[in-house]
Amino acid sequence: MNSRLPETLSAKQEQTRQETINKVLHALSELQAQGCRLSIKNLMEYTGLSRSVFAKPHVRAVLTEYVAAFTRPETPTTDEKVPVHQTKEQKLRAEIREKDTQIKRLREEKVALKEECELLRGRLYLLMQRQNLE
């Protein structure tokens, strides 16, 4: 028994995953830009997706990466020494780290969008082929 899915079904599933990921990323950035709290409830309202979608591994990975990239530890542990006045160099290094994280996230998003674009091109090609046969 062959447990491999047909190629068209796999492509459709991947396309759906990418669309969901893009919808979640867009919602995260919009909610953050509006100053809203990033919660599953707010994401559900903004995207129209069900709660179970946010438990799926590919969506959970996006949420984890996004939150890690844009949140800072609120209170340092007692072992950490936080200078009262950071030097200009320290501030710039922190800003560079934040920008590097943002660049990494954007590169990953770019790859996901390219994959989605390829899937859509393939789907468009198949639809055009069907239309030409009719």
Side-chain angles (χ1 to χ4, degrees):
M1 184 168 153
N2 190 0
S3 63
R4 189 165 182 264
L5 293 174
E7 210 170 294
T8 54
L9 180 57
S10 296
K12 174 67 176 157
Q13 288 175 337
E14 184 58 32
Q15 176 186 354
T16 304
R17 276 189 208 99
Q18 291 303 320
E19 288 172 356
T20 302
I21 287 170
N22 291 338
K23 190 181 282 190
V24 170
L25 283 171
H26 178 71
L28 286 166
S29 62
E30 283 296 313
L31 288 173
Q32 188 177 30
Q34 294 173 9
C36 296
R37 188 170 160 262
L38 297 180
S39 67
I40 298 297
K41 183 178 178 183
N42 287 344
L43 288 168
M44 287 171 50
E45 289 175 10
Y46 191 89
T47 62
L49 298 171
S50 67
R51 182 173 291 278
S52 63
V53 170
F54 294 96
K56 293 187 178 191
H58 62 282
V59 176
R60 183 155 296 293
V62 168
L63 293 173
T64 304
E65 280 183 39
Y66 191 90
V67 170
F70 287 100
T71 57
R72 297 181 190 128
E74 292 179 17
T75 55
T77 61
T78 55
D79 296 340
E80 295 177 13
K81 300 284 184 186
V82 178
V84 176
H85 300 288
Q86 286 186 333
T87 65
K88 194 172 189 177
E89 183 180 345
Q90 290 171 327
K91 287 179 184 179
L92 289 173
R93 286 182 188 200
E95 190 176 329
I96 288 171
R97 280 193 301 274
E98 288 177 26
K99 296 295 182 186
D100 285 342
T101 304
Q102 186 177 11
I103 288 169
K104 180 183 175 196
R105 182 185 58 79
L106 289 171
R107 284 185 176 153
E108 290 170 357
E109 188 177 338
K110 176 185 166 191
V111 168
L113 289 170
K114 277 187 173 184
E115 289 173 2
E116 181 183 4
C117 185
E118 287 179 32
L119 289 172
L120 291 172
R121 280 189 191 133
R123 188 168 184 201
L124 179 62
Y125 176 77
L126 291 174
L127 289 172
M128 290 177 69
Q129 291 293 347
R130 278 191 211 154
Q131 186 178 15
N132 288 338
L133 290 176
E134 292 175 355

